[in-house]
Amino acid sequence: MLREKKEVRLLNGKIADRSNEITEEEWLQVNEFNRRMVDDYLSNQTHLSPQSLVAYKSALKIFFVWVKDNLNNKNCIEIRKKEFLRYMNWLANRGFSESGIKFKKSSVSAFNKFIENFYDEDYPLFRNYVTAEMQVPKTGKVFAKEPLTPDELKHLCDVLEERGEWQKLAYVKFTYSTGCRRAESMQLLKEVVNYEPKRKIVTIVDENGKEQEAESVSYKTHEIRCKGRSSVGKVRKLQFGQDVMDALKKWLEVRGEDDCPYMFVVKQKDGETHQVSKSVFNDWCIGEFSEIVGKRTTPHNFRRSRATNLVCYDHRALETAQKLLGHESSETTQMYVIREDSEDADEAFI
């Protein structure tokens, strides 16, 4: 069985699912046939982004570790429909949300379709045992997508500053200001503190509907690989404000000298400094940050909060949030709002 601490933490309404962190040791206990088939499937999914590949790999690892523990490690082509129904119930009983179970279901279904299409001559009798009529268990664990208000964000930053947690403060400010994802925050290099600001006079519309001019001061990062439709994603330079630059400089001042080029890091027991992992951002948000603001907070919620606050509190146009987040369509940005120079969002940094 997966270790208790890795299945789920469900305490005082705070959920931090860690089942996707299957260790290499656990994975090697899965039978070789299943591991080989998963590797073959993933290597042929050239249409998926790197982030999507990681998600599918994680979902399949969780499933086949369960198969090892509960179905005597049987081969994937021998699994039956009723056994997969047991798996979905197992997920529900361990506190997974309905959306999380739905994704894990679709991941296994896609894997099965790959076997049907690519191995039809080897296994002509195999059929996808994950069917559309299979109902995802109703767990009631559907997390509200509740953005942080400007006051809540200020409170979070004030508390982190009072505690002297400068790296976490820099992460919050950078992630919120840019509206970026956790995989994009990871890529930030500490060299950005040497970049020059961009100053521009922009015309904005205030809350009374009147136009006025204001100075925008912002910075651009180096090229960062972001989420995109292609397998390699989309390369962008993220834009952030002066308050972020101040926070980044403060963090590097406290951090001191080391050889790691990345901004957000962890220090190992051997004294070496390494690039932080995405799971660390999850731990900060779902643990400490959620406790500070009094509501469930995730890394992605900073992105949603930035879009919502720009439009609803700062009265900026939806297109400004669209440019900042890097969405190709304003319709995508609209779903976030809960009510390169030509692509700059200068109105966001006044």
Side-chain angles (χ1 to χ4, degrees), residues 190 248-260 262 265 267 273:
K190 58 186 183 183
L248 295 175
K249 288 182 176 180
K250 176 62 178 179
W251 158 233
L252 290 184
E253 175 189 332
V254 172
R255 173 177 156 185
E257 295 294 328
D258 58 61
D259 295 330
C260 184
Y262 294 101
V265 297
K267 291 190 176 181
T273 301

Side-chain angles (χ1 to χ4, degrees), residues 321-340:
Q322 177 190 347
K323 293 174 184 176
L324 181 69
L325 300 188
H327 288 152
E328 294 182 3
S329 169
S330 61
E331 293 181 359
T332 304
T333 311
Q334 183 63 60
M335 291 189 292
Y336 278 71
V337 177
I338 303 176
R339 349 209 114 92
E340 338 300 73

Side-chain angles (χ1 to χ4, degrees), residues 263-281:
M263 179 64 68
F264 301 117
V265 297
V266 292
K267 291 190 176 181
Q268 305 292 350
K269 292 181 180 179
D270 59 7
E272 293 294 320
T273 301
H274 300 284
Q275 179 186 25
V276 76
S277 68
K278 291 186 291 185
S279 64
V280 171
F281 293 150

Side-chain angles (χ1 to χ4, degrees), residues 27-291:
W27 181 236
L28 289 175
Q29 293 173 17
V30 171
N31 82 60
E32 183 180 358
F33 179 80
N34 289 345
R35 287 188 281 116
R36 178 164 52 81
M37 293 295 279
V38 168
D39 289 342
D40 192 24
Y41 164 71
L42 294 172
S43 67
N44 280 279
Q45 305 311 301
T46 55
H47 63 289
L48 295 178
S49 69
Q51 289 80 14
S52 295
L53 275 175
V54 170
Y56 275 85
K57 182 177 182 179
S58 171
L60 292 172
K61 280 188 171 184
I62 292 172
F63 176 58
F64 283 111
V65 168
W66 181 87
V67 170
K68 172 184 70 69
D69 292 336
N70 297 272
L71 301 180
N72 200 29
N73 220 1
K74 63 164 44 178
N75 287 348
C76 57
I77 58 173
E78 300 172 353
I79 297 172
R80 298 292 178 258
K81 179 178 179 179
K82 63 181 181 180
E83 293 170 331
F84 188 76
L85 288 170
R86 283 178 53 200
Y87 171 64
M88 288 202 296
N89 289 331
W90 178 87
L91 292 172
N93 289 335
R94 275 152 181 79
F96 284 85
S97 67
E98 292 172 26
S99 62
I101 299 173
K102 184 176 180 181
F103 175 74
K104 290 170 178 59
K105 173 190 172 186
S106 65
S107 298
V108 176
S109 179
F111 171 76
N112 289 344
K113 290 177 182 177
F114 167 79
I115 296 176
E116 285 184 325
N117 294 330
F118 281 71
Y119 288 90
D120 55 321
E121 295 182 1
D122 300 274
Y123 312 112
L125 299 181
F126 176 77
R127 295 292 181 269
N128 186 1
Y129 48 82
V130 181
T131 59
E133 62 268 17
M134 276 186 179
Q135 296 297 313
V136 170
K138 300 295 182 182
T139 66
K141 296 180 177 64
V142 180
F143 304 127
K145 297 178 179 179
E146 189 176 0
L148 301 178
T149 66
D151 286 343
E152 288 170 334
L153 282 158
K154 182 179 183 303
H155 175 64
L156 173 59
C157 290
D158 288 346
V159 171
L160 293 176
E161 184 172 354
E162 289 172 4
R163 294 178 179 178
E165 301 200 51
W166 303 111
Q167 177 169 213
K168 293 176 182 177
L169 178 62
Y171 163 73
V172 169
K173 290 198 170 188
F174 175 77
T175 300
Y176 175 72
S177 183
T178 59
C180 70
R181 303 171 181 85
R182 57 181 183 166
E184 296 156 11
S185 294
M186 280 177 58
Q187 300 174 52
L188 184 66
L189 299 175
K190 58 186 183 183
E191 68 181 42
V192 296
V193 297
N194 299 317
Y195 293 1
E196 293 297 322
K198 171 188 175 184
R199 300 180 183 275
K200 183 178 179 181
I201 301 299
V202 297
T203 301
I204 62 172
V205 179
D206 64 22
E207 59 184 4
N208 298 317
K210 295 182 178 180
E211 290 189 352
Q212 58 178 322
E213 290 188 340
E215 183 184 37
S216 166
V217 180
S218 64
Y219 297 82
K220 284 282 190 80
T221 66
H222 47 84
E223 291 186 343
I224 287 180
R225 191 166 298 282
C226 304
K227 184 178 179 181
R229 292 183 178 179
S230 68
S231 60
V232 296
K234 178 170 57 175
V235 175
R236 297 180 59 218
K237 292 184 177 182
L238 306 181
Q239 196 172 359
F240 61 90
Q242 183 62 52
D243 64 323
V244 177
M245 179 60 82
D246 296 340
L248 295 175
K249 288 182 176 180
K250 176 62 178 179
W251 158 233
L252 290 184
E253 175 189 332
V254 172
R255 173 177 156 185
E257 295 294 328
D258 58 61
D259 295 330
C260 184
Y262 294 101
M263 179 64 68
F264 301 117
V265 297
V266 292
K267 291 190 176 181
Q268 305 292 350
K269 292 181 180 179
D270 59 7
E272 293 294 320
T273 301
H274 300 284
Q275 179 186 25
V276 76
S277 68
K278 291 186 291 185
S279 64
V280 171
F281 293 150
N282 284 347
D283 290 343
W284 291 353
C285 292
I286 298 176
E288 184 176 0
F289 298 171
S290 294
E291 291 179 0

